[in-house]
mmCIF file of all heavy atoms in Angstrom:
data_model
loop_
_atom_site.group_PDB
_atom_site.id
_atom_site.type_symbol
_atom_site.label_atom_id
_atom_site.label_comp_id
_atom_site.label_asym_id
_atom_site.label_seq_id
_atom_site.Cartn_x
_atom_site.Cartn_y
_atom_site.Cartn_z
ATOM 1 N N VAL A 838 20.703 -92.491 -12.830
ATOM 2 C CA VAL A 838 19.439 -92.560 -12.092
ATOM 3 C C VAL A 838 19.592 -93.224 -10.726
ATOM 4 O O VAL A 838 19.055 -92.748 -9.731
ATOM 5 C CB VAL A 838 18.362 -93.309 -12.918
ATOM 6 C CG1 VAL A 838 17.054 -93.386 -12.135
ATOM 7 C CG2 VAL A 838 18.149 -92.627 -14.259
ATOM 8 N N TYR A 839 20.346 -94.303 -10.664
ATOM 9 C CA TYR A 839 20.423 -95.071 -9.413
ATOM 10 C C TYR A 839 21.492 -94.530 -8.456
ATOM 11 O O TYR A 839 21.502 -94.900 -7.276
ATOM 12 C CB TYR A 839 20.673 -96.550 -9.716
ATOM 13 C CG TYR A 839 19.461 -97.253 -10.292
ATOM 14 C CD1 TYR A 839 19.158 -97.177 -11.650
ATOM 15 C CD2 TYR A 839 18.616 -97.985 -9.473
ATOM 16 C CE1 TYR A 839 18.050 -97.817 -12.180
ATOM 17 C CE2 TYR A 839 17.503 -98.637 -9.986
ATOM 18 C CZ TYR A 839 17.219 -98.551 -11.343
ATOM 19 O OH TYR A 839 16.128 -99.185 -11.861
ATOM 20 N N ASN A 840 22.392 -93.706 -8.969
ATOM 21 C CA ASN A 840 23.339 -92.993 -8.106
ATOM 22 C C ASN A 840 24.092 -93.936 -7.159
ATOM 23 O O ASN A 840 24.174 -93.713 -5.956
ATOM 24 C CB ASN A 840 22.594 -91.923 -7.307
ATOM 25 C CG ASN A 840 23.520 -90.865 -6.751
ATOM 26 O OD1 ASN A 840 24.496 -90.496 -7.400
ATOM 27 N ND2 ASN A 840 23.225 -90.374 -5.550
ATOM 28 N N HIS A 841 24.618 -95.030 -7.737
ATOM 29 C CA HIS A 841 25.461 -95.982 -6.997
ATOM 30 C C HIS A 841 24.702 -96.743 -5.908
ATOM 31 O O HIS A 841 25.297 -97.199 -4.936
ATOM 32 C CB HIS A 841 26.667 -95.270 -6.379
ATOM 33 C CG HIS A 841 27.439 -94.427 -7.351
ATOM 34 N ND1 HIS A 841 28.154 -94.976 -8.394
ATOM 35 C CD2 HIS A 841 27.593 -93.086 -7.443
ATOM 36 C CE1 HIS A 841 28.717 -94.004 -9.085
ATOM 37 N NE2 HIS A 841 28.381 -92.850 -8.542
ATOM 38 N N THR A 842 23.393 -96.888 -6.050
ATOM 39 C CA THR A 842 22.606 -97.650 -5.074
ATOM 40 C C THR A 842 22.136 -98.986 -5.642
ATOM 41 O O THR A 842 21.272 -99.636 -5.051
ATOM 42 C CB THR A 842 21.381 -96.849 -4.616
ATOM 43 O OG1 THR A 842 20.527 -96.600 -5.750
ATOM 44 C CG2 THR A 842 21.797 -95.529 -3.987
ATOM 45 N N ALA A 843 22.708 -99.414 -6.780
ATOM 46 C CA ALA A 843 22.253 -100.642 -7.427
ATOM 47 C C ALA A 843 23.408 -101.300 -8.166
ATOM 48 O O ALA A 843 24.438 -100.675 -8.443
ATOM 49 C CB ALA A 843 21.115 -100.337 -8.402
ATOM 50 N N VAL A 844 23.206 -102.584 -8.494
ATOM 51 C CA VAL A 844 24.150 -103.314 -9.333
ATOM 52 C C VAL A 844 23.424 -103.712 -10.608
ATOM 53 O O VAL A 844 22.193 -103.853 -10.616
ATOM 54 C CB VAL A 844 24.699 -104.569 -8.611
ATOM 55 C CG1 VAL A 844 25.500 -104.167 -7.384
ATOM 56 C CG2 VAL A 844 23.578 -105.532 -8.242
ATOM 57 N N PRO A 845 24.160 -103.886 -11.717
ATOM 58 C CA PRO A 845 23.508 -104.275 -12.966
ATOM 59 C C PRO A 845 22.812 -105.628 -12.834
ATOM 60 O O PRO A 845 23.358 -106.564 -12.244
ATOM 61 C CB PRO A 845 24.662 -104.352 -13.971
ATOM 62 C CG PRO A 845 25.779 -103.583 -13.349
ATOM 63 C CD PRO A 845 25.619 -103.719 -11.884
ATOM 64 N N ALA A 846 21.611 -105.724 -13.367
ATOM 65 C CA ALA A 846 20.875 -106.987 -13.349
ATOM 66 C C ALA A 846 21.199 -107.789 -14.599
ATOM 67 O O ALA A 846 21.186 -107.257 -15.707
ATOM 68 C CB ALA A 846 19.378 -106.729 -13.260
ATOM 69 N N VAL A 847 21.481 -109.055 -14.410
ATOM 70 C CA VAL A 847 21.747 -109.980 -15.513
ATOM 71 C C VAL A 847 20.606 -110.987 -15.619
ATOM 72 O O VAL A 847 20.044 -111.209 -16.687
ATOM 73 C CB VAL A 847 23.086 -110.718 -15.310
ATOM 74 C CG1 VAL A 847 23.329 -111.724 -16.442
ATOM 75 C CG2 VAL A 847 24.229 -109.716 -15.216
ATOM 76 N N ASN A 848 20.277 -111.604 -14.498
ATOM 77 C CA ASN A 848 19.236 -112.620 -14.429
ATOM 78 C C ASN A 848 17.952 -112.032 -13.846
ATOM 79 O O ASN A 848 17.939 -110.890 -13.380
ATOM 80 C CB ASN A 848 19.725 -113.797 -13.580
ATOM 81 C CG ASN A 848 20.838 -114.570 -14.284
ATOM 82 O OD1 ASN A 848 20.820 -114.737 -15.495
ATOM 83 N ND2 ASN A 848 21.815 -115.033 -13.515
ATOM 84 N N PRO A 849 16.872 -112.815 -13.804
ATOM 85 C CA PRO A 849 15.608 -112.269 -13.285
ATOM 86 C C PRO A 849 15.585 -112.058 -11.783
ATOM 87 O O PRO A 849 14.620 -111.504 -11.268
ATOM 88 C CB PRO A 849 14.576 -113.342 -13.689
ATOM 89 C CG PRO A 849 15.226 -114.153 -14.749
ATOM 90 C CD PRO A 849 16.681 -114.136 -14.436
ATOM 91 N N PHE A 850 16.583 -112.527 -11.056
ATOM 92 C CA PHE A 850 16.654 -112.261 -9.627
ATOM 93 C C PHE A 850 18.094 -111.982 -9.230
ATOM 94 O O PHE A 850 19.031 -112.279 -9.970
ATOM 95 C CB PHE A 850 16.040 -113.390 -8.785
ATOM 96 C CG PHE A 850 16.556 -114.779 -9.081
ATOM 97 C CD1 PHE A 850 17.866 -115.135 -8.811
ATOM 98 C CD2 PHE A 850 15.708 -115.744 -9.598
ATOM 99 C CE1 PHE A 850 18.333 -116.413 -9.047
ATOM 100 C CE2 PHE A 850 16.163 -117.029 -9.850
ATOM 101 C CZ PHE A 850 17.478 -117.363 -9.566
ATOM 102 N N PRO A 851 18.322 -111.387 -8.050
ATOM 103 C CA PRO A 851 19.659 -110.912 -7.679
ATOM 104 C C PRO A 851 20.606 -112.033 -7.256
ATOM 105 O O PRO A 851 20.171 -113.140 -6.906
ATOM 106 C CB PRO A 851 19.383 -109.965 -6.502
ATOM 107 C CG PRO A 851 18.108 -110.456 -5.916
ATOM 108 C CD PRO A 851 17.292 -110.980 -7.061
ATOM 109 N N PRO A 852 21.894 -111.746 -7.237
ATOM 110 C CA PRO A 852 22.900 -112.759 -6.881
ATOM 111 C C PRO A 852 22.761 -113.311 -5.468
ATOM 112 O O PRO A 852 23.276 -114.395 -5.183
ATOM 113 C CB PRO A 852 24.227 -112.002 -7.038
ATOM 114 C CG PRO A 852 23.938 -110.910 -8.004
ATOM 115 C CD PRO A 852 22.524 -110.502 -7.726
ATOM 116 N N ILE A 853 22.084 -112.597 -4.566
ATOM 117 C CA ILE A 853 21.922 -113.111 -3.207
ATOM 118 C C ILE A 853 20.861 -114.199 -3.118
ATOM 119 O O ILE A 853 20.749 -114.883 -2.099
ATOM 120 C CB ILE A 853 21.575 -111.984 -2.215
ATOM 121 C CG1 ILE A 853 20.261 -111.295 -2.605
ATOM 122 C CG2 ILE A 853 22.704 -110.982 -2.091
ATOM 123 C CD1 ILE A 853 19.742 -110.331 -1.557
ATOM 124 N N GLN A 854 20.076 -114.387 -4.173
ATOM 125 C CA GLN A 854 19.043 -115.422 -4.189
ATOM 126 C C GLN A 854 19.684 -116.767 -4.517
ATOM 127 O O GLN A 854 20.432 -116.887 -5.488
ATOM 128 C CB GLN A 854 17.980 -115.094 -5.239
ATOM 129 C CG GLN A 854 16.928 -116.157 -5.459
ATOM 130 C CD GLN A 854 15.969 -116.273 -4.297
ATOM 131 O OE1 GLN A 854 15.145 -115.402 -4.066
ATOM 132 N NE2 GLN A 854 16.063 -117.366 -3.565
ATOM 133 N N TRP A 855 19.393 -117.789 -3.715
ATOM 134 C CA TRP A 855 19.986 -119.099 -4.018
ATOM 135 C C TRP A 855 19.510 -119.583 -5.389
ATOM 136 O O TRP A 855 18.416 -119.270 -5.816
ATOM 137 C CB TRP A 855 19.676 -120.116 -2.916
ATOM 138 C CG TRP A 855 18.234 -120.485 -2.686
ATOM 139 C CD1 TRP A 855 17.377 -119.913 -1.800
ATOM 140 C CD2 TRP A 855 17.490 -121.513 -3.355
ATOM 141 N NE1 TRP A 855 16.149 -120.510 -1.855
ATOM 142 C CE2 TRP A 855 16.180 -121.511 -2.800
ATOM 143 C CE3 TRP A 855 17.777 -122.441 -4.351
ATOM 144 C CZ2 TRP A 855 15.181 -122.381 -3.203
ATOM 145 C CZ3 TRP A 855 16.780 -123.320 -4.767
ATOM 146 C CH2 TRP A 855 15.506 -123.280 -4.202
ATOM 147 N N SER A 856 20.364 -120.290 -6.075
ATOM 148 C CA SER A 856 20.204 -120.822 -7.445
ATOM 149 C C SER A 856 20.557 -119.808 -8.526
ATOM 150 O O SER A 856 20.378 -120.081 -9.714
ATOM 151 C CB SER A 856 18.807 -121.395 -7.699
ATOM 152 O OG SER A 856 17.845 -120.391 -7.949
ATOM 153 N N TYR A 857 21.100 -118.649 -8.148
ATOM 154 C CA TYR A 857 21.536 -117.661 -9.142
ATOM 155 C C TYR A 857 22.635 -118.268 -10.018
ATOM 156 O O TYR A 857 23.593 -118.865 -9.518
ATOM 157 C CB TYR A 857 22.064 -116.414 -8.439
ATOM 158 C CG TYR A 857 22.475 -115.292 -9.369
ATOM 159 C CD1 TYR A 857 21.546 -114.362 -9.803
ATOM 160 C CD2 TYR A 857 23.795 -115.163 -9.802
ATOM 161 C CE1 TYR A 857 21.911 -113.320 -10.640
ATOM 162 C CE2 TYR A 857 24.169 -114.129 -10.638
ATOM 163 C CZ TYR A 857 23.219 -113.208 -11.059
ATOM 164 O OH TYR A 857 23.601 -112.183 -11.894
ATOM 165 N N ASN A 858 22.515 -118.116 -11.338
ATOM 166 C CA ASN A 858 23.478 -118.681 -12.287
ATOM 167 C C ASN A 858 24.509 -117.611 -12.687
ATOM 168 O O ASN A 858 24.223 -116.718 -13.481
ATOM 169 C CB ASN A 858 22.765 -119.203 -13.532
ATOM 170 C CG ASN A 858 23.680 -120.037 -14.407
ATOM 171 O OD1 ASN A 858 24.901 -119.940 -14.315
ATOM 172 N ND2 ASN A 858 23.099 -120.873 -15.256
ATOM 173 N N ARG A 859 25.702 -117.743 -12.137
ATOM 174 C CA ARG A 859 26.762 -116.767 -12.405
ATOM 175 C C ARG A 859 27.443 -116.990 -13.760
ATOM 176 O O ARG A 859 28.297 -116.190 -14.161
ATOM 177 C CB ARG A 859 27.790 -116.795 -11.272
ATOM 178 C CG ARG A 859 27.189 -116.384 -9.934
ATOM 179 C CD ARG A 859 28.209 -116.334 -8.817
ATOM 180 N NE ARG A 859 27.576 -115.968 -7.551
ATOM 181 C CZ ARG A 859 27.320 -114.723 -7.161
ATOM 182 N NH1 ARG A 859 27.679 -113.715 -7.949
ATOM 183 N NH2 ARG A 859 26.724 -114.465 -6.007
ATOM 184 N N GLU A 860 27.090 -118.046 -14.446
ATOM 185 C CA GLU A 860 27.692 -118.310 -15.752
ATOM 186 C C GLU A 860 26.932 -117.661 -16.901
ATOM 187 O O GLU A 860 27.354 -117.739 -18.048
ATOM 188 C CB GLU A 860 27.787 -119.823 -15.983
ATOM 189 C CG GLU A 860 28.726 -120.528 -15.003
ATOM 190 C CD GLU A 860 28.836 -122.009 -15.280
ATOM 191 O OE1 GLU A 860 28.183 -122.492 -16.228
ATOM 192 O OE2 GLU A 860 29.566 -122.690 -14.545
ATOM 193 N N VAL A 861 25.810 -117.028 -16.609
ATOM 194 C CA VAL A 861 25.043 -116.323 -17.639
ATOM 195 C C VAL A 861 25.682 -114.956 -17.879
ATOM 196 O O VAL A 861 25.950 -114.205 -16.940
ATOM 197 C CB VAL A 861 23.574 -116.150 -17.204
ATOM 198 C CG1 VAL A 861 22.816 -115.272 -18.201
ATOM 199 C CG2 VAL A 861 22.895 -117.507 -17.070
ATOM 200 N N ASP A 862 25.945 -114.648 -19.140
ATOM 201 C CA ASP A 862 26.542 -113.359 -19.499
ATOM 202 C C ASP A 862 25.456 -112.316 -19.742
ATOM 203 O O ASP A 862 24.385 -112.626 -20.288
ATOM 204 C CB ASP A 862 27.399 -113.491 -20.758
ATOM 205 C CG ASP A 862 28.624 -114.362 -20.533
ATOM 206 O OD1 ASP A 862 29.176 -114.318 -19.420
ATOM 207 O OD2 ASP A 862 29.019 -115.088 -21.463
ATOM 208 N N ASP A 863 25.753 -111.090 -19.396
ATOM 209 C CA ASP A 863 24.801 -110.009 -19.637
ATOM 210 C C ASP A 863 24.809 -109.622 -21.110
ATOM 211 O O ASP A 863 25.749 -109.934 -21.860
ATOM 212 C CB ASP A 863 25.160 -108.795 -18.776
ATOM 213 C CG ASP A 863 23.971 -107.863 -18.586
ATOM 214 O OD1 ASP A 863 22.869 -108.195 -19.054
ATOM 215 O OD2 ASP A 863 24.145 -106.806 -17.937
ATOM 216 N N ASP A 864 23.767 -108.916 -21.535
ATOM 217 C CA ASP A 864 23.704 -108.399 -22.901
ATOM 218 C C ASP A 864 24.847 -107.409 -23.111
ATOM 219 O O ASP A 864 25.118 -106.558 -22.259
ATOM 220 C CB ASP A 864 22.378 -107.661 -23.127
ATOM 221 C CG ASP A 864 21.173 -108.529 -22.832
ATOM 222 O OD1 ASP A 864 20.973 -109.526 -23.526
ATOM 223 O OD2 ASP A 864 20.424 -108.192 -21.876
ATOM 224 N N GLU A 865 25.528 -107.516 -24.242
ATOM 225 C CA GLU A 865 26.569 -106.541 -24.538
ATOM 226 C C GLU A 865 25.935 -105.255 -25.052
ATOM 227 O O GLU A 865 24.884 -105.282 -25.684
ATOM 228 C CB GLU A 865 27.546 -107.087 -25.577
ATOM 229 C CG GLU A 865 26.927 -107.316 -26.950
ATOM 230 C CD GLU A 865 27.982 -107.606 -28.011
ATOM 231 O OE1 GLU A 865 29.081 -107.019 -27.935
ATOM 232 O OE2 GLU A 865 27.687 -108.411 -28.912
ATOM 233 N N TYR A 866 26.562 -104.134 -24.740
ATOM 234 C CA TYR A 866 26.114 -102.865 -25.288
ATOM 235 C C TYR A 866 26.811 -102.673 -26.615
ATOM 236 O O TYR A 866 28.018 -102.430 -26.688
ATOM 237 C CB TYR A 866 26.450 -101.727 -24.331
ATOM 238 C CG TYR A 866 26.141 -100.357 -24.882
ATOM 239 C CD1 TYR A 866 24.863 -100.045 -25.348
ATOM 240 C CD2 TYR A 866 27.130 -99.374 -24.940
ATOM 241 C CE1 TYR A 866 24.580 -98.792 -25.859
ATOM 242 C CE2 TYR A 866 26.851 -98.118 -25.444
ATOM 243 C CZ TYR A 866 25.578 -97.827 -25.909
ATOM 244 O OH TYR A 866 25.291 -96.582 -26.424
ATOM 245 N N ASN A 867 26.042 -102.820 -27.716
ATOM 246 C CA ASN A 867 26.624 -102.792 -29.061
ATOM 247 C C ASN A 867 25.585 -102.266 -30.050
ATOM 248 O O ASN A 867 24.919 -103.042 -30.746
ATOM 249 C CB ASN A 867 27.085 -104.198 -29.462
ATOM 250 C CG ASN A 867 27.947 -104.198 -30.708
ATOM 251 O OD1 ASN A 867 27.807 -103.324 -31.565
ATOM 252 N ND2 ASN A 867 28.835 -105.177 -30.821
ATOM 253 N N PRO A 868 25.395 -100.931 -30.123
ATOM 254 C CA PRO A 868 24.378 -100.363 -31.009
ATOM 255 C C PRO A 868 24.560 -100.744 -32.482
ATOM 256 O O PRO A 868 23.561 -100.946 -33.188
ATOM 257 C CB PRO A 868 24.541 -98.857 -30.806
ATOM 258 C CG PRO A 868 25.147 -98.724 -29.441
ATOM 259 C CD PRO A 868 26.056 -99.897 -29.303
ATOM 260 N N ALA A 869 25.809 -100.854 -32.952
ATOM 261 C CA ALA A 869 26.037 -101.204 -34.365
ATOM 262 C C ALA A 869 25.491 -102.603 -34.659
ATOM 263 O O ALA A 869 24.849 -102.826 -35.698
ATOM 264 C CB ALA A 869 27.528 -101.127 -34.676
ATOM 265 N N ARG A 870 25.743 -103.526 -33.758
ATOM 266 C CA ARG A 870 25.228 -104.881 -33.950
ATOM 267 C C ARG A 870 23.707 -104.895 -33.835
ATOM 268 O O ARG A 870 23.023 -105.666 -34.524
ATOM 269 C CB ARG A 870 25.845 -105.824 -32.918
ATOM 270 C CG ARG A 870 25.517 -107.273 -33.176
ATOM 271 C CD ARG A 870 26.198 -108.194 -32.177
ATOM 272 N NE ARG A 870 25.725 -109.555 -32.323
ATOM 273 C CZ ARG A 870 25.905 -110.517 -31.432
ATOM 274 N NH1 ARG A 870 26.564 -110.253 -30.310
ATOM 275 N NH2 ARG A 870 25.436 -111.730 -31.636
#
């Protein structure tokens, strides 16, 4: 859908926003779990 015009979101705001926490891990894609 985004056709290479976006990056995956992990937190509620983007990495360019000050106070972004880079130590938060994104949800894993794991349908079985």
Side-chain angles (χ1 to χ4, degrees):
V838 179
Y839 287 83
N840 199 36
H841 309 293
T842 62
V844 296
V847 178
N848 291 323
F850 52 66
I853 60 171
Q854 174 71 71
W855 63 267
S856 79
Y857 183 87
N858 191 340
R859 297 183 181 276
E860 295 182 0
V861 173
D862 294 325
D863 201 4
D864 304 296
E865 66 169 324
Y866 174 55
N867 192 332
R870 188 177 172 195

